[in-house]
Amino acid sequence: MLDISAYLGLFLAALLAATILPLQSEAALVGLLLSDALAPWALLLVATTGNVLGSVINWLLGRSLERFRERRWFPVSASGLARAQRGYQRYGRWSLLLSWVPLIGDPLTVIAGTLREPLWSFLLLVTLAKGARYLVLAALTLGWF
């Protein structure tokens, strides 16, 4: 039962950390890796899956964002949104390889949704980026280098 709780907690931490909420999942992954109680490959799979699904939530939010642009409560100015969209268009879908970077990765996944990035390319690039980040973190934590 403890294993399921650990995996579920890591999944939720990774999922929420990938949304626009200011959370981190790396500490949870490192702690579980250092506990040596669970398989590293399973932890990497769970963390990556949760983090990618959190980014899909951002992508879906971005797909719906445009219709609320004129509302007073809209959290981003029209010029700020246009600037972000221009930046994404300038570098294209390859910028999603930076989706793992703190502070810019989450907004990047939202902008990809507003610009209607196809889900297949979004999933491919975001999974590659976030999976690589967790793999490097695990390798550093467990001394694989």
Side-chain angles (χ1 to χ4, degrees), residues 28-42:
L29 177 61
V30 168
L32 289 169
L33 287 168
L34 291 174
S35 76
D36 206 30
L38 303 168
W41 67 268

Side-chain angles (χ1 to χ4, degrees), residues 6 8 32 35 43 57 59 61 65 80 93 104 124 127 130:
L8 182 60
L32 289 169
S35 76
L43 293 171
I57 291 170
W59 180 84
L61 285 172
L65 198 62
R93 68 176 42 126
I104 67 166
L124 179 69
T127 301
K130 291 175 179 268

Side-chain angles (χ1 to χ4, degrees), residues 12-26 51 106 130 134:
L12 291 174
L15 182 125
L16 293 174
T19 65
I20 56 176
L21 299 173
L23 299 172
Q24 296 296 319
S25 59
E26 292 81 3
N51 214 239
D106 298 340
K130 291 175 179 268
Y134 284 129

Side-chain angles (χ1 to χ4, degrees), residues 72-88:
R72 280 183 9 174
W73 52 262
F74 194 73
V76 180
S77 68
S79 63
L81 184 58
R83 186 172 48 251
Q85 289 173 332
R86 280 192 309 275
Y88 186 84

Side-chain angles (χ1 to χ4, degrees), residues 39-123:
W41 67 268
L43 293 171
L44 290 172
L45 181 65
V46 167
T48 301
T49 302
N51 214 239
V52 170
L53 287 178
S55 291
V56 169
I57 291 170
N58 289 347
W59 180 84
L60 289 168
L61 285 172
R63 304 244 334 157
S64 303
L65 198 62
E66 286 290 323
R67 71 177 133 168
F68 299 113
R69 178 183 246 179
E70 302 302 320
R71 304 282 173 103
R72 280 183 9 174
W73 52 262
F74 194 73
V76 180
S77 68
S79 63
L81 184 58
R83 186 172 48 251
Q85 289 173 332
R86 280 192 309 275
Y88 186 84
Q89 288 170 331
R90 181 177 181 191
Y91 299 106
R93 68 176 42 126
W94 299 108
S95 62
L96 288 170
L97 291 173
L98 298 174
S99 61
W100 66 271
V101 177
L103 300 178
I104 67 166
D106 298 340
L108 189 59
T109 58
V110 173
I111 292 300
T114 65
L115 292 175
R116 304 289 196 245
E117 181 66 42
L119 184 59
W120 71 268
S121 57
F122 178 86
L123 282 173

